[in-house]
Amino acid sequence: MIMTSTYVNGHFLTLDSETPVASAVAIRAGRFTAVGDDATVLTHAGPDAEVVDLGGATVIPGFNDSHCHIEFAGQAGLVVDLAGVGTVAEALAVIRDFVAGQPAGEWVTGSGWHPPSQLAEARYLTRAELDEAAPRNPVFLPTVGHVAMTNSAGLERAGIDENTPDPSGGTIERDSAGRATGVLYEHAIDLVTAVKPGWTTEELEQQFAAGLARANSFGITSVLQPYLHSRGIRALQRLWQDGRLTARVGVLWAPDPSVSLDEWRRTVEATGVSSWFGDEWLKLAGIKLISDGGMTLRTALMRGAYPGDGHDHGMATMSAEHLTDLVVAAHERDWRLGVHCVGDLAVDRVLDAFEAADRVRPIAGRRFALIHGSLGRREQFERARALGVRLELQPVFLWGKAATIEKGLGTETTNRAIPMRTAIDVFGIDAVSMGTDFPANELNPFSGLQLAVTRRDARGVAYGPEEAVTREEALRSYTASGAFATRDETVKGTISPGKLADFAVLSDDYLGVDADHIKDLEVVRTVVGGRVVFER
């Protein structure tokens, strides 16, 4: 039986230029069949259609988080939850309590968190502290993807001692005696993950299902999963086959970039598929590479040296030559590339690689992306636009981490961080999409919307107010613009006849609430393909 429904008496912000505001929509077989006023739309409703009176509520297109590691939202009970700790003592107490319930010798993993901005001490935990909290278990505490902590047992299992050299593109932090502190940067983390058992496909399947359900509670109907290995893709495929996906997922595959160029060529060709393989529910959206670290960690690769250290320009995860070789080889095999680049020097290197690929075959229309581009400059954005490259950014980094960025990079650089106004002016709104980088930042889209509109962080401190955007621009970049990243702009992102019926009903009027209360908006109902997947 084909599902039909009609929503009336609403305030639809459609983002469709032909009908920007409507009061009703008709839905059949998961798509909008009519958008307009109540009387007109009701003529399209079949005799068996369910009619939902919205009571004047505001409705927006479903959020499309264009950078979200959503499986982390489904790990409750499986990892040490460090999201709410505020001091080193609190973190160690939470770890101690979790470890008490685990068998001796088994690995203990932490959730994504950010000690420099989150803890009062603004530092990472040491191996000695972790040894005390977890004397019987190896511990692995990842942060926002570029730094991790481990204890003595973890270092021992990874074979890391005083004689272990730093791997290419990574650093083993050491004390004055040359002993590893337990803090690992970039590819040094791989030394631990190589020996630590990963999640099974079944466990990942459960995490994705729970994570997508949580995303639905925030009105998120699509996510771009920016870094997945084969096991994670397989887990999503199982959910797709069983009809259990409650949001649409674009996937960026993450093959090992440390291999030789010949092996890289064989790897990206051996799959037999390439970018855009899939459907409206699950789609391969390209390959993800990482070129540098992060601005909250003082590891973003910068043209100028970091304040206080005339020789520190951040960290490159690979040489510029290797990056270019990987990009060109993948492009030759029909893969779209999205490359993590935060610092301005990293953006330079990524654009060099994209230009090399463009000389082999034009990349315009392939949706190549600068992922983050947080400290990119106008001339770099203009260079990217000329290539047809898009920008996938996350203004919400400033919401809770602006003070940390300011401490590491200075006020002037923080003011120009995540320059959304400049980006939209240069790229055009369709090529600038917003996301969260969850779990590095909170999943709630409304914090990111408020930050983009006000440029004030959670403390109320303003950074670069000239980079603020309008409410409609912010909303569009969080919905319609994200559809362009996966070549889905003709089927989703706006409330338009013929498009997928993905939308969110809000607790208040997004355009009418005070700008400093956008973060307080809630989603009361989320609909994906005409089916209610969340109701408050």
Side-chain angles (χ1 to χ4, degrees):
M1 181 178 177
I2 297 176
M3 291 179 56
T4 61
S5 57
T6 303
Y7 286 77
V8 299
N9 190 24
H11 177 53
F12 287 82
L13 306 178
T14 69
L15 301 184
D16 183 320
S17 59
E18 293 189 9
T19 310
V21 178
S23 64
V25 296
I27 300 168
R28 180 178 173 81
R31 293 178 182 264
F32 297 114
T33 58
V35 178
D37 61 79
D38 288 9
T40 301
V41 168
L42 283 170
T43 64
H44 290 265
D48 299 324
E50 174 192 20
V51 178
V52 179
D53 189 331
L54 292 167
T58 295
V59 183
I60 61 173
F63 288 114
N64 188 339
D65 189 324
S66 66
H67 192 102
C68 180
H69 305 269
I70 195 59
E71 74 276 22
F72 287 94
Q75 292 181 350
L78 302 173
V79 300
V80 186
D81 185 0
L82 296 163
V85 301
T87 66
V88 168
E90 288 178 10
L92 294 172
V94 170
I95 295 166
R96 197 176 295 114
D97 289 346
F98 185 90
V99 169
Q102 305 302 309
E106 287 197 3
W107 279 92
V108 170
T109 303
S111 63
W113 64 315
H114 194 258
S117 65
Q118 188 174 325
L119 301 183
E121 297 85 351
R123 66 170 176 84
Y124 299 108
L125 308 182
T126 67
R127 69 186 289 179
E129 290 168 332
L130 293 176
D131 287 348
E132 184 277 326
R136 304 179 306 141
N137 300 78
V139 174
F140 176 68
L141 303 180
T143 58
V144 294
H146 302 273
V147 181
M149 292 149 279
T150 189
N151 60 355
S152 294
L155 291 169
E156 183 179 350
R157 293 201 185 185
I160 299 174
D161 59 23
E162 290 80 358
N163 300 314
T164 305
D166 286 343
S168 176
T171 301
I172 301 168
E173 185 180 86
R174 304 173 193 276
D175 61 22
S176 58
R179 189 168 181 242
T181 66
V183 181
L184 307 171
Y185 292 85
E186 300 296 348
H187 286 310
I189 301 170
D190 300 342
L191 301 175
V192 175
T193 57
V195 298
K196 176 186 173 293
W199 301 110
T200 66
T201 302
E202 291 73 20
E203 288 170 331
L204 286 169
E205 191 176 340
Q206 295 167 9
Q207 291 170 23
F208 275 115
L212 290 173
R214 185 177 171 197
N216 295 150
S217 72
F218 291 111
I220 296 170
T221 59
S222 293
V223 297
L224 182 54
Q225 202 345 314
Y227 195 82
L228 272 188
H229 300 295
S230 57
R231 194 175 298 172
I233 298 173
R234 191 175 303 118
L236 283 168
Q237 183 179 346
R238 287 185 181 181
L239 293 175
W240 169 75
Q241 288 172 326
D242 294 341
R244 295 171 55 208
L245 289 175
T246 59
R248 309 180 194 282
V249 185
V251 172
L252 292 182
W253 177 36
D256 183 3
S258 67
V259 298
S260 69
L261 182 56
D262 284 342
E263 186 173 348
W264 172 265
R265 290 186 178 117
R266 288 192 296 269
T267 298
V268 299
E269 190 166 12
T271 61
V273 298
S274 60
S275 298
W276 319 125
F277 183 77
D279 66 4
E280 63 199 29
W281 281 105
L282 181 62
K283 179 181 292 188
L284 279 175
I287 285 175
K288 164 81 172 286
L289 292 170
I290 298 174
S291 68
D292 70 338
M295 61 181 176
T296 65
L297 310 169
R298 282 179 65 104
T299 54
L301 190 62
M302 302 292 291
R303 290 174 175 174
Y306 279 89
D309 188 336
H311 302 288
D312 183 8
H313 290 262
M315 181 179 294
T317 61
M318 65 183 79
S319 70
E321 294 76 18
H322 190 55
L323 173 65
T324 295
D325 287 343
L326 298 183
V327 168
V328 171
H331 174 52
E332 289 174 333
R333 288 152 182 82
D334 291 329
W335 284 98
R336 171 244 192 192
L337 278 297
V339 185
H340 167 118
C341 50
V342 175
D344 49 12
L345 180 55
V347 174
D348 284 335
R349 292 186 175 190
V350 173
L351 290 174
D352 288 345
F354 285 177
E355 286 176 346
D358 189 66
R359 288 192 290 272
V360 172
R361 185 178 63 192
I363 65 173
R366 297 287 297 169
R367 315 294 166 93
F368 277 43
L370 302 175
I371 296 177
H372 304 306
S374 308
L375 296 171
R377 300 175 181 274
R378 176 179 282 269
E379 77 270 12
Q380 293 177 313
F381 291 168
E382 291 171 347
R383 186 179 167 196
R385 180 194 60 190
L387 288 166
V389 169
R390 45 182 294 105
L391 178 65
E392 294 162 10
L393 45 65
Q394 305 80 36
V396 73
F397 266 102
L398 292 177
W399 178 253
K401 299 180 177 64
T404 301
I405 300 167
E406 186 174 21
K407 180 180 178 181
L409 287 163
T411 303
E412 181 180 353
T413 301
T414 308
N415 281 332
R416 71 174 183 83
I418 318 177
M420 194 167 176
R421 173 75 275 151
T422 299
I424 290 175
D425 289 347
V426 173
F427 284 94
I429 187 68
D430 292 338
V432 179
S433 57
M434 282 175 67
T436 57
D437 200 3
F438 177 86
N441 303 295
E442 59 182 70
L443 190 56
N444 184 356
F446 296 106
S447 297
L449 289 171
Q450 180 169 315
L451 189 286
V453 169
T454 67
R455 293 289 292 193
R456 288 190 289 274
D457 72 356
R459 304 165 301 162
V461 179
Y463 290 91
E466 67 278 4
E467 291 296 343
V469 299
T470 69
R471 294 194 197 204
E472 182 174 338
E473 287 172 327
L475 181 61
R476 184 174 292 275
S477 71
Y478 224 133
T479 54
S481 299
F484 283 82
T486 52
R487 278 187 166 175
D488 287 320
E489 65 271 19
T490 62
V491 297
K492 69 179 183 182
T494 64
I495 298 174
S496 308
K499 286 193 175 182
L500 296 164
D502 300 351
F503 59 92
V505 183
L506 307 185
S507 59
D508 207 338
D509 180 10
Y510 167 69
L511 295 180
V513 297
D514 184 272
D516 289 323
H517 290 287
I518 292 174
K519 69 180 186 307
D520 300 321
L521 289 169
E522 292 185 325
V523 169
V524 298
R525 176 181 285 205
T526 303
V527 177
V528 180
R531 178 168 66 95
V532 177
V533 295
F534 170 78
E535 198 155 23
R536 192 172 299 279

